[in-house]
Amino acid sequence: MFGIYDINTNTALGFKQRLDIYKKTGFGGVAFFIDDNYYDKGESFLNLIDYSHEIGLKIMQVHADYKISNLICDESTNEYFDYLESRLKICEKFKIKNLVVHASKGDNPPVISSAQLEKLRKLANKYPNVNLCYENVRANENLEKILMLNIKNIGMCYDLGHAHAYSDENKLFENNKKYILCSHLHNNYGKDTHNLLSDGEIKWKEIVNKLTKIKGCENCLEVFPGHDKILSENEFVNFVERAYKDIEV
């Protein structure tokens, strides 16, 4: 089963309409940001949680705010860990298995210290029923250090589009496949544009096939029509149908 990230910023459609369209198209699961900074029109991620449950869409993963990622390295504040714990509590309450997070932001982020890694270890151990899925981004030194902790509920969110834009998608997959808990699937032409899988230069089918064979790995399309595009209802349905057609078995 494949899920799809909510395309909430590219349409004026409300959350019920969007989720109904994902369900009708054939998606069995959905993913979205678990932070109200990513919603407008009076919506909340709690709306999406409740309505997903109501219509039988599995919440496959949720994504925390990535803008504070470099604070994981700042020993002068506990802001990153306080925020992360607040998201873990929500996931635990609603029985959401995978929380996607970032360990760095930008081309030259600070490097995480052993003291901060220990804070992360303790926090993960408090919430054993929620996976912290660290996503590969531009620079992955912090990601590598975190994965080397070998904590049961800390793993990797393998982002195919990021891997192609910033490194080597096949090498990154092979080097980290034992850590992969979930994925983000999208294509591009060398820049991180989150295109449909059928729109890009990545030879994605082999990697997606490998991802589906990882036990428990939950795979979600993270595709968008473009940052400035606002789709009508018909355009939105068409885009979601094209996304589904790529992974339809």
Side-chain angles (χ1 to χ4, degrees), residues 21-35:
I21 289 167
Y22 306 143
K23 176 79 171 179
K24 184 178 180 180
T25 301
F27 286 101
V30 69
F32 44 83
F33 275 91
I34 191 169
D35 190 304

Side-chain angles (χ1 to χ4, degrees), residues 12 62 97 141 144 150 173 208 223 232 239:
V62 290
K97 179 181 176 183
E141 185 174 351
E144 292 168 3
N150 288 312
F173 176 86
V208 170
V223 294
S232 68
F239 185 82

Side-chain angles (χ1 to χ4, degrees), residues 19-66:
L19 292 171
D20 283 340
I21 289 167
Y22 306 143
K23 176 79 171 179
K24 184 178 180 180
T25 301
F27 286 101
V30 69
F32 44 83
F33 275 91
I34 191 169
D35 190 304
D36 282 340
N37 291 326
Y38 292 84
Y39 299 91
D40 55 14
K41 300 171 289 190
E43 291 184 0
S44 167
F45 66 83
L46 292 172
N47 297 144
L48 279 80
I49 290 174
D50 289 342
Y51 196 62
S52 296
H53 289 161
E54 184 177 330
I55 65 173
L57 272 176
K58 181 179 181 181
I59 301 172
M60 297 178 70
Q61 53 182 259
V62 290
H63 202 308
D65 185 6
Y66 62 86

Side-chain angles (χ1 to χ4, degrees), residues 96 112 184 189 205 216:
I96 298 170
I112 192 168
H184 290 168
Y189 293 93
K205 291 186 179 179

